[in-house]
Amino acid sequence: MGTAWHANNQFPWEINRYVGGIENVKINVTLRIYSNKWHVYAGLAILNPSAKEQIRQYAKSVTELFKLMLGGHREELSRRVKTAGAAVFKSDHWDEDLLLRDDVLDRFSLGKVPSQKTPNNHLSLLAMVDCWWQLGIVPYDHMICSTPLFRLWLGVTEYLFRKPLLLEEVITTAIEDNTFRSDDLEFTFAARGWSECVSFGDFSSYRDRFEQIQAYFAPRFPEATRVGNEMIRTIMEKTRER
């Protein structure tokens, strides 16, 4: 996401359609990652065969879902998204409270929350769940060894997929609304680019890509770190209850 925003010369917290709700988590996760040293994530991605497989599948999921959106294939997109959601978020979890709630999502914002939110197709989240499904991963099975960022990502995907009306809105937006289309195009390029970088095992290229985008977002790191810490503290308390 950071790569896509950088390519579009966007600071998402300054754009109304990227402020509030789910968007807050996307922005805070992105800035939290880029506020760290490049080698922290390079090592995890390049030296871990399982990570390479997941990154490769994520890029594939992003590409395939984006093509369905571009082609207007609503039924196929809906069927694939809901099949993935049913596999990852099994019925025995549906009686539990969500890891993230509306009041929590809106509380942690780097910009002013608009009175009316712009519908988003949330390609990045749809692809994450599709990726887990394709690889047979049920994230709840790995909570004991999960990182705070992983729990945030799980929390926001769970929020989307366990709200049927919101999921339907996302699918409709993906087919009928072009507001985020250029953003999604850059995001698809970015997902594939990072996947290729990791697959080649190229630390130098990884560092160059990472530090270029890091410098772009650096002015907002202090505030993002503070807000991100509060968000992570909230979700960690929630996951300890499970």
Side-chain angles (χ1 to χ4, degrees):
M1 290 180 288
T3 304
W5 288 326
H6 174 253
N8 281 331
N9 196 29
Q10 296 171 332
F11 293 107
W13 52 85
E14 296 178 352
I15 303 172
N16 278 350
R17 70 175 187 266
Y18 274 121
V19 179
I22 290 175
E23 308 300 345
N24 288 344
V25 179
K26 292 180 180 178
I27 293 171
N28 280 295
V29 166
T30 298
L31 294 186
R32 194 171 185 86
I33 289 172
Y34 280 109
S35 66
N36 283 291
K37 298 295 185 181
W38 71 272
H39 59 79
V40 174
Y41 296 102
L44 290 171
I46 293 175
L47 300 179
N48 184 343
S50 294
K52 282 187 176 182
E53 180 185 23
Q54 290 180 46
I55 293 167
R56 188 181 306 112
Q57 178 57 55
Y58 183 72
K60 183 178 180 182
S61 292
V62 168
T63 302
E64 292 177 352
L65 292 177
F66 185 51
K67 287 180 178 180
L68 291 177
M69 295 177 186
L70 284 178
H73 303 298
R74 181 189 178 98
E75 289 187 13
E76 187 176 350
L77 177 65
S78 178
R79 183 170 58 252
R80 178 162 174 169
V81 165
K82 291 178 180 178
T83 299
V88 172
F89 302 106
K90 299 183 184 297
S91 59
D92 56 348
H93 290 287
W94 281 67
D95 292 332
E96 299 174 353
D97 291 335
L98 291 171
L99 294 173
L100 292 172
R101 304 185 310 275
D102 292 286
D103 60 325
V104 174
L105 287 170
D106 281 336
R107 191 194 319 163
F108 303 112
S109 178
L110 294 179
K112 184 178 179 181
V113 178
S115 57
Q116 186 172 359
K117 296 174 184 175
T118 303
N120 190 341
N121 61 57
H122 295 302
L123 173 59
S124 61
L125 303 184
L126 298 183
M128 188 73 263
V129 176
D130 188 83
C131 173
W132 285 333
W133 168 53
Q134 297 286 349
L135 296 176
I137 295 173
V138 178
Y140 297 100
D141 295 342
H142 306 277
M143 293 296 280
I144 193 171
C145 58
S146 62
T147 65
L149 284 181
F150 175 84
R151 296 187 187 202
L152 269 179
W153 208 234
L154 173 59
V156 75
T157 54
E158 177 192 72
Y159 178 90
L160 171 58
F161 277 80
R162 285 179 54 191
K163 285 179 170 284
L165 291 180
L166 177 58
L167 188 60
E168 284 296 335
E169 177 188 278
V170 164
I171 293 170
T172 297
T173 302
I175 298 299
E176 300 179 2
D177 192 333
N178 291 326
T179 302
F180 287 89
R181 201 67 86 207
S182 63
D183 303 56
D184 292 335
L185 178 63
E186 290 293 351
F187 179 72
T188 302
F189 290 157
R192 293 165 67 106
W194 279 109
S195 178
E196 290 174 358
C197 180
V198 170
S199 294
F200 295 150
D202 188 346
F203 279 93
S204 177
S205 176
Y206 191 105
R207 180 175 185 173
D208 288 344
R209 292 168 64 91
F210 189 97
E211 291 186 337
Q212 181 183 24
I213 299 159
Q214 184 181 59
Y216 180 75
F217 289 117
R220 293 305 292 266
F221 286 162
E223 184 181 1
T225 298
R226 178 186 59 78
V227 173
N229 286 342
E230 294 175 8
M231 183 181 289
I232 285 173
R233 189 178 304 114
T234 299
I235 199 169
M236 290 296 285
E237 291 172 357
K238 193 69 180 177
T239 51
R240 274 198 296 267
E241 296 171 4
R242 289 197 170 179

